[in-house]
Amino acid sequence: EPRKEWGIIPRSLHDLLSRIKSMNTANPSGPQLQLYMSYLEIYNEQIYDLLPEKSKENVPKHFNVGPPALKLRESRRGRIFVRGLARRPVNNVDQGLEYAEEAKNNRHTASNNINANSSRSHSICQFEIAHAPHCSNRKGVQSNTGMDSECDTDDESICSRSSSGSKKTSKRKSTIIWIVDLAGSERSKRTGVMSHTRHQKEAALINASLMNLMRCLREMLNHQPKKRGVPSKGGVVPFRESKLTHMFMNHLTGPAASRTCMIVNVNPAADDYDET
């Protein structure tokens, strides 16, 4: 049962795994569902995998030499995804929480005058429920990286080999849930990072991405007609001006927009009125 102190990720894991178990039990002869977990961060306008494959664990951290940044791609149907992002199968809540803790330890953080463990990046925890009867093994273990390297496909396709060795492509049926932790905007004078060049750059890029998110939301509002029959006066929504808003594009437009919600932590202190 969910514990009182659990946050969004543990509760999501518990709920998703419970539903998957009941659906698999109800249909034992059909395709079995499997939960996968991916975790990434957007740091200094670059995307990094927080749950890299085991073979990449000994690679130095990316702010020095580190692995290359991952690339955003768009599928033939207009779906935005991260090429090469690893995904791990999750079979129980404890396993999922271990992955979340590993991702947390890999994420960029720093201390300042306001926060001893300040996030220096935006992070996205991605849950995918999928079944791929033609290329899943018995444990349902797959890797996006493997699919990308083996076949020229996008995120909506999977590859399998026929008995003759030829490649076949079939559609991967899946649903994806994102849990996003946005780094908060900050002022260098209050945080005391003015003397630290790297932290200043981090703060500037965080603030710029959040500002662009606000611009996108305002333009989307301008696109809505004020009165019936009167055309809207909205301009181009600048989704592609930052990695954050580019990734959010599918979640803020189209059918997914009605299934997107935002949770805001508001500090009631008078000193933080302007920040809030």
Side-chain angles (χ1 to χ4, degrees):
E1 289 298 319
R3 300 174 189 168
K4 249 184 185 179
E5 68 274 14
W6 275 5
I8 296 174
I9 290 179
R11 290 177 185 274
S12 299
L13 281 166
H14 180 272
D15 186 63
L16 291 172
L17 288 168
S18 298
R19 294 185 182 212
I20 288 172
K21 183 179 179 181
S22 63
M23 292 175 74
N24 286 342
T25 303
N27 187 24
S29 59
Q32 296 293 287
L33 298 173
Q34 174 68 48
L35 179 65
Y36 297 92
M37 184 176 182
S38 302
Y39 224 121
L40 62 91
E41 72 171 348
I42 303 174
Y43 173 73
N44 284 353
E45 279 300 295
Q46 299 293 331
I47 300 173
Y48 298 101
D49 196 342
L50 294 179
L51 291 176
E53 295 178 350
K54 296 291 183 182
S55 60
K56 299 178 182 177
E57 282 187 351
N58 296 326
V59 177
K61 285 208 168 184
H62 38 256
F63 50 75
N64 282 331
V65 180
L70 303 180
K71 301 295 184 182
L72 274 181
R73 292 291 182 262
E74 189 168 340
S75 72
R76 288 185 291 271
R77 295 191 176 188
R79 182 176 174 186
I80 307 298
F81 67 102
V82 180
R83 174 73 78 185
L85 181 66
R87 59 183 190 138
R88 299 186 184 182
V90 180
N91 298 311
N92 54 66
V93 174
D94 289 338
Q95 185 181 30
L97 293 179
E98 285 179 11
Y99 292 158
E101 186 66 24
E102 180 183 340
K104 179 182 175 183
N105 293 335
N106 289 334
R107 186 179 178 183
H108 281 89
T109 58
S111 60
N112 56 46
N113 292 346
I114 295 178
N115 192 344
N117 195 29
S118 174
S119 302
R120 313 311 299 164
S121 64
H122 308 299
S123 70
I124 298 176
C125 175
Q126 178 177 291
F127 293 124
E128 180 179 3
I129 305 170
H131 61 76
H134 295 295
C135 70
S136 296
N137 59 24
R138 289 184 180 180
K139 293 183 180 179
V141 178
Q142 290 182 334
S143 168
N144 277 348
T145 307
M147 285 186 285
D148 292 338
S149 60
E150 183 182 2
C151 298
D152 184 19
T153 63
D154 58 29
D155 67 325
E156 295 173 344
S157 301
I158 56 172
C159 281
S160 60
R161 292 186 181 272
S162 63
S163 56
S164 61
S166 60
K167 293 177 182 178
K168 297 187 300 182
T169 302
S170 60
K171 200 169 280 188
R172 186 178 80 220
K173 296 180 180 178
S174 67
T175 184
I176 295 176
I177 299 172
W178 281 10
I179 299 176
V180 183
D181 179 21
L182 295 177
S185 62
E186 57 184 41
R187 295 183 181 179
S188 299
K189 287 184 179 179
R190 295 192 63 195
T191 56
V193 301
M194 296 185 68
S195 59
H196 201 301
T197 306
R198 181 163 66 86
H199 289 172
Q200 269 191 305
K201 179 184 176 182
E202 293 167 350
L205 289 171
I206 288 171
N207 291 345
S209 64
L210 293 174
M211 184 66 68
N212 195 60
L213 175 60
M214 183 175 69
R215 287 175 57 206
C216 289
L217 295 174
R218 282 180 175 171
E219 281 300 330
M220 289 172 62
L221 184 63
N222 291 336
H223 275 257
Q224 297 178 1
K226 307 299 180 184
K227 296 180 181 179
R228 185 175 297 179
V230 179
S232 61
K233 297 182 180 180
V236 176
V237 183
F239 284 121
R240 297 176 185 271
E241 290 190 13
S242 76
K243 290 286 197 314
L244 180 69
T245 51
H246 193 180
M247 290 191 71
F248 279 4
M249 188 163 66
N250 292 146
H251 296 269
L252 297 175
T253 59
S258 62
R259 299 191 294 271
T260 301
C261 63
M262 181 180 288
I263 301 172
V264 182
N265 292 323
V266 177
N267 190 335
D271 291 345
D272 294 314
Y273 177 80
D274 289 338
E275 300 291 334
T276 300

